[in-house]
Amino acid sequence: MRLRTVVGVLLTAIMLFPVYWMVNVSLTRDRDMRRATLFPVHPTLDGYRAVLEQQLPYLGTSLLVALGTVAFTVLLAAPAGYSLAKLRPRGGGALGFAFLIAQMIPGIIMAMGFYAIYLNLGVLNSWPGLILADSTIAVPFAVLVFTAFMAAIPDELLQAAKTDGAGALRTFTAIVLPVSRNAVVTVSLFAFLWAWSDFVFASTLDGGGALRPITLGIYRYIGNNNQEWNAIMATAVVASIPATVLLVAAQRFVATGVTAGAVKE
């Protein structure tokens, strides 16, 4: 048992070391970057001051795009999952398989397709375009999660609502959605993380816009002859905080939401 504990602590330390190094570099002066030390020799908060002065608009755009992606994903995927799980439309099996295949398409290929479409529609460099693009990654996964979770909801519960006079829409909003809280949290979390960390769609579809996400804002500090590693790592630390907080807060819901439907009772 003691050996397992030691091995576990060691492996955890190895996995968390990149996070520590990111924080370490964010507190190191640019002139001290060549010194490979485990602690900052002369700690500085210049990188974090740069984030507050220059990166807040990018963080705001990322938050807007991420929340928009969450709302759009849940709005589309929850009814689709309910339909596939309980209403069983004709061709539902083929549609579910199509959602599975959609997750295998490389993002860069989708980005090129979106670029051609957005160019013709005149919606390049816009946050609604980014929300739509990011949602194409999140929706197929979300539909599969909702379908698996809602398939485990007892049919007797839905039949009781129908007996009371509730239609399909009323049953979905008043019964199915509240019961599917874990799935909603799981889908929302993954959709947020995908949109928050997106770089491919952002660089392809919004590289020259006024509202650019934080993944592009970091490039302000990268040049041909100079890289401001202090500010880069400080931005990375700040950008990691929302994702970390959400993961910690939602971990118990995610564990239930992801494994729902895996075991039949």
Side-chain angles (χ1 to χ4, degrees), residues 59-164:
L59 288 168
T61 300
S62 286
L63 184 62
L64 175 64
V65 172
L67 293 179
T69 301
V70 169
F72 193 65
T73 298
V74 173
L75 183 64
L76 289 181
Y82 172 62
S83 177
L84 292 175
K86 292 301 182 182
L87 302 183
R88 299 179 178 87
R90 184 176 301 176
L95 184 59
F97 182 73
F99 282 124
L100 184 62
I101 295 297
Q103 297 184 80
M104 303 178 185
I105 302 176
I108 187 61
I109 295 178
M110 299 177 64
M112 292 297 101
F114 273 117
Y115 182 85
I117 296 173
Y118 285 8
L119 183 62
N120 293 329
L121 296 178
V123 293
L124 281 174
N125 303 322
S126 64
W127 59 266
L130 276 183
I131 290 176
L132 178 60
D134 289 331
S135 297
T136 60
I137 300 294
V139 166
F141 171 80
V143 171
L144 295 177
V145 171
F146 276 123
T147 301
F149 192 95
M150 293 176 180
I153 298 177
D155 291 333
E156 292 79 7
L157 186 62
L158 306 184
Q159 188 62 39
K162 185 177 180 180
T163 302
D164 291 338

Side-chain angles (χ1 to χ4, degrees), residues 190-228:
F190 279 94
F192 184 93
L193 294 178
W194 275 324
W196 184 263
S197 61
D198 169 61
F199 176 78
V200 174
F201 287 138
S203 61
T204 305
L205 306 176
D206 199 27
L211 297 176
R212 285 178 286 178
I214 191 61
T215 49
L216 296 184
I218 294 178
Y219 272 109
R220 286 175 56 96
Y221 305 124
I222 300 177
N224 292 330
N225 301 314
N226 182 44
Q227 292 81 36
E228 301 178 35

